[in-house]
């Protein structure tokens, strides 16, 4: 039932958005081609700027995995994660996500490359990447910028949202992709 | 924090390899990781450029502003302590809309302005106001309609259906956001009963 709703949603979101944005742009007399090019230029810059972050994180994870250190850690956690239906390989991403956006992207990319984008782990990693934000980073820069040093319950709520979204991602991915 | 995690990954990896007498695996892992990272980043360029191009059109067509206007009634409910028509509300809506459209880099400046306005309402105290806590709860749990970066990573990895994760992403964020808003409301009420701070 849920799959029947979600599959078309996944399929149609991008094409619909594309069409609507273009049509509205034309109606509003936006120079769509020029706007596109200037936005695309920014995309190029961002992708290039990601390289150092990706290298740093994927080197560290490469070492951690190749040497067998990851397998040891996952062995310890296996009983808990298998009981929850969570593949152990995803845990480094769950830990990294609230801490560092570029770090998490590095971990997610590594998972997708290693296990394949259409594997369960690949799909779960992709979903998690879109559902949560870099809570610590957002709090630090936003509060830091205005001189707020006592966060009260903001950090707790943010992390609670991260944990909930993580578990919900596992739930919906299992429902849809297994 | 990231510094620690990063260091631990490497040091523990080296220690494990040394203990197993297979120290060459450290070098192999490092080089493999570095090569993969650059390949991935180059693969990202096309799709990232595509999406940010499309999103720029959306911005210039005023779609982001439109979203902002549509969301006003909901905002009044979520931020009762901010007077209606206060500039803070506008910036909050712009920030959330930019997040929803996946305009990550555009979202941050709006968020900063929103915080500055809320800090004025807060009397420039070093303690976060209720509205600030609600804003951050929304912001960190916020839905991304087009998670462009991860879609492009999937494209680069030759996924058969790169966008199939949009559906579960929307559902999972809905759950996360509901929990965040509820928790924020409960904590707000609790702190008020305890007498402010």
């Amino acid at each position: 039932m849920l799959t029947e709703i979600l599959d078309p949603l996944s399929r149609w979101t991008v094409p619909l958005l594309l069409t609507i944005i273009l049509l509205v742009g034309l109606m509003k007399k936006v120079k769509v081609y020029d706007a596109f090019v200037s936005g695309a230029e920014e995309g190029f810059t961002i992708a290039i700027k990601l390289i150092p972050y990706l290298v740093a994180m994927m080197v560290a994870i490469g070492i951690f995995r190749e040497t067998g250190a990851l397998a040891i850690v996952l062995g310890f956690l296996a009983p808990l994660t298998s009981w929850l239906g969570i593949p152990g390989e995803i845990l480094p991403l769950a830990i990294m996500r609230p801490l560092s956006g570029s770090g998490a992207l590095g971990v997610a990319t590594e998972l997708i490359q290693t296990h394949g984008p259409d594997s369960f782990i690949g799909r779960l990693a992709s979903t998690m990447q879109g559902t949560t934000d870099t809570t610590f980073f957002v709090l630090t820069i936003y509060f830091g910028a205005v001189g707020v040093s006592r966060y009260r319950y903001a950090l707790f709520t943010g992390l609670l949202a991260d944990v909930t979204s993580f578990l919900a991602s596992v739930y919906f991915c299992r429902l849809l992709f297994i | 924090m990231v510094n620690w995690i990063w260091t631990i990954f490497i040091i523990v990896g080296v220690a494990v390899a040394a203990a197993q007498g297979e120290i060459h695996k450290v070098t192999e892992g490092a080089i493999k990781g570095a090569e993969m990272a650059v390949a991935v980043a180059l693969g990202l360029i096309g799709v990232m450029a595509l999406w940010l191009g499309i999103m720029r059109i959306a911005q210039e067509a005023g779609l982001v502003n439109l979203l902002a206007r549509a969301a006003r009634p909901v905002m009044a409910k979520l931020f009762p302590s901010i007077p209606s028509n206060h500039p803070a509300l506008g910036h909050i809506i712009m920030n959330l809309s930019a997040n929803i459209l996946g305009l990550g880099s555009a979202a941050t400046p709006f968020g900063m302005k929103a915080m500055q306005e809320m800090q004025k309402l807060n009397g420039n105290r070093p303690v976060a106001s209720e509205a600030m806590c609600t804003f951050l709860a929304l912001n960190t749990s916020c839905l991304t309609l087009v998670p462009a970066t991860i879609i492009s990573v999937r494209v680069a990895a030759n996924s058969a259906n790169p966008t199939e994760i949009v559906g579960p992403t929307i559902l999972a964020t809905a759950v996360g956001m509901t929990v965040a808003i509820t928790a924020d409301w409960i904590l707000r009420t609790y702190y008020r009963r305890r007498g402010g701070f």
Side-chain angles (χ1 to χ4, degrees):
Chain A
M1 165 59 187
L2 199 59
T3 319
E4 284 157 32
I5 302 170
L6 281 187
D7 193 47
L9 186 69
S10 298
R11 233 180 264 271
W12 278 90
T13 307
V14 173
L16 270 181
L17 222 70
L18 260 172
T19 318
I20 293 169
I21 290 170
L22 260 179
L23 289 179
V24 175
L26 283 174
M27 266 161 44
K28 300 265 171 170
K29 301 204 165 55
V30 173
K31 287 184 178 161
V32 286
Y33 180 78
D34 298 313
F36 182 90
V37 171
S38 72
E41 200 183 328
E42 195 193 335
F44 179 84
T45 323
I46 291 175
I48 295 299
K49 275 191 185 156
L50 274 176
I51 292 179
Y53 298 102
L54 283 175
V55 171
M57 203 45 77
M58 289 173 87
V59 163
I61 295 164
I63 293 173
F64 201 67
R65 173 193 302 277
E66 287 290 309
T67 56
L70 181 65
I72 295 173
V73 173
L74 294 182
F76 275 115
L77 294 168
L80 176 69
T81 52
S82 70
W83 182 69
L84 287 169
I86 302 167
E89 291 87 342
I90 208 83
L91 285 179
L93 178 60
I95 295 163
M96 188 58 82
R97 193 67 187 98
L99 296 170
S100 160
S102 49
L105 182 63
V107 181
T109 306
E110 205 269 346
L111 285 172
I112 290 168
Q113 291 278 338
T114 308
H115 299 275
D118 301 325
S119 65
F120 180 69
I121 291 170
R123 286 162 165 167
L124 179 57
S126 312
T127 305
M128 282 173 58
Q129 200 57 24
T131 49
T132 50
D133 207 327
T134 318
T135 305
F136 279 100
F137 171 78
V138 172
L139 254 74
T140 311
I141 59 161
Y142 282 15
F143 277 146
V146 294
V148 166
S149 53
R150 284 174 59 193
Y151 296 179
R152 285 170 86 202
Y153 48 89
L155 183 62
F156 174 78
T157 328
L159 291 179
L160 182 70
D162 286 337
V163 172
T164 316
S165 302
F166 168 55
L167 294 175
S169 300
V170 174
Y171 176 77
F172 287 118
C173 282
R174 285 184 63 89
L175 204 65
L176 280 161
F177 299 132
I178 282 188
Chain B
M1 198 67 159
V2 186
N3 284 307
W4 279 105
I5 294 183
W6 192 70
T7 312
I8 287 168
F9 273 157
I10 296 176
I11 300 292
V12 172
V14 173
V16 169
Q20 293 174 343
E22 292 184 306
I23 198 71
H24 64 280
K25 287 199 170 167
V26 175
T27 320
E28 280 170 26
I31 291 173
K32 247 191 226 173
E35 283 176 349
M36 207 191 260
V38 176
V40 165
L42 292 180
L44 282 180
I45 294 175
V47 187
M48 285 290 278
L50 165 67
W51 273 112
L52 286 167
I54 294 291
M55 289 308 168
R56 181 66 61 90
I57 299 176
Q59 226 174 337
E60 290 190 13
L63 280 170
V64 180
N65 273 313
L66 199 75
L67 258 176
R69 226 173 305 150
R72 263 188 197 280
V74 185
M75 287 293 123
K77 284 246 166 22
L78 282 170
F79 297 94
S81 60
I82 302 179
S84 59
N85 287 330
H86 192 275
L89 280 180
H91 295 311
I92 291 172
I93 295 166
M94 295 295 279
N95 170 270
L96 294 177
S97 316
N99 268 329
I100 291 168
L101 289 178
L103 299 160
S105 55
T108 311
F110 290 132
M112 296 280 193
K113 278 188 215 156
M115 281 307 255
Q116 280 166 5
E117 292 297 332
M118 281 187 275
Q119 181 63 342
K120 283 183 201 160
L121 286 173
N122 190 27
N124 287 319
R125 279 177 307 183
V127 184
S129 68
E130 285 176 356
M132 287 175 176
C133 292
T134 309
F135 174 57
L136 281 163
L138 277 177
N139 193 301
T140 57
S141 63
C142 188
L143 152 83
T144 306
L145 207 53
V146 188
T149 315
I150 202 69
I151 289 174
S152 46
V153 170
R154 294 173 60 77
V155 172
N158 294 318
S159 168
N161 188 356
T163 57
E164 70 184 344
I165 47 94
V166 173
T169 301
I170 292 174
L171 279 181
T173 337
V175 175
M177 217 160 162
T178 311
V179 169
I181 294 168
T182 314
D184 178 72
W185 183 81
I186 292 171
L187 286 165
R188 179 200 292 177
T189 316
Y190 170 74
Y191 270 74
R192 268 191 206 165
R193 288 226 180 99
R194 260 190 24 177
F197 302 93

